[in-house]
Amino acid sequence: MTSPLLDVRALSVEFQTTEGPLRVLRDVSFDVAPGETFGLAGESGSGKTTLGYTILQALAPAARITCGAILFEGRGSLARERR
Ligand SMILES: Nc1ncnc2c1ncn2[C@@H]1O[C@H](COP(=O)(O)OP(=O)(O)OP(=O)(O)O)[C@@H](O)[C@H]1O
Ligand SMILES: [Mg+2]
């Protein structure tokens, strides 16, 4: 079995807003194999762009990873413990 190129594990992300924390990603897990095409579908506001920015380490300052890990080529690019 080929090891995944990208492995997203139990990822949770929230934004700090004036009305308090807004949990946008909750326990998101998936992996993508080398050469595999991965599609992500969801209604507007469901967090697709937030997920992409998180993987690219380009999250807005108001956002933070509260839980989970992202492994690229088996190495951790981002990881946080649950607080
Ligand atoms: N900088 C931000 N500050 C606070 N909340 C934000 C911020 N960016 C996005 N959000 C909120 O995060 C949630 C997910 O937004 P996101 O843009 O990731 O959704 P999306 O699935 O890409 O939507 P669309 O299909 O419209 O592009 C929404 O509730 C949005 O209002
Ligand atoms: Mg979007």
Side-chain angles (χ1 to χ4, degrees):
M1 195 187 114
T2 319
S3 56
L5 181 68
L6 177 68
D7 189 1
V8 176
R9 297 183 186 169
L11 183 67
S12 294
V13 171
E14 66 183 30
F15 285 98
Q16 299 305 325
T17 75
T18 51
E19 274 132 57
L22 176 68
R23 292 187 68 196
V24 172
L25 303 182
R26 299 173 191 223
D27 200 21
V28 176
S29 296
F30 64 92
D31 56 50
V32 183
E36 181 182 9
T37 299
F38 179 85
L40 179 66
E43 65 186 75
S44 182
S46 60
K48 304 179 296 293
T49 292
T50 302
L51 175 61
Y53 281 154
T54 307
I55 292 167
L56 294 171
Q57 302 187 31
L59 270 177
R64 72 184 184 107
I65 296 169
T66 55
C67 190
I70 300 170
L71 301 176
F72 185 76
E73 294 183 327
R75 291 186 294 275
S77 60
L78 289 165
R80 295 288 187 282
E81 297 303 317
R82 194 183 292 275
R83 295 167 201 207

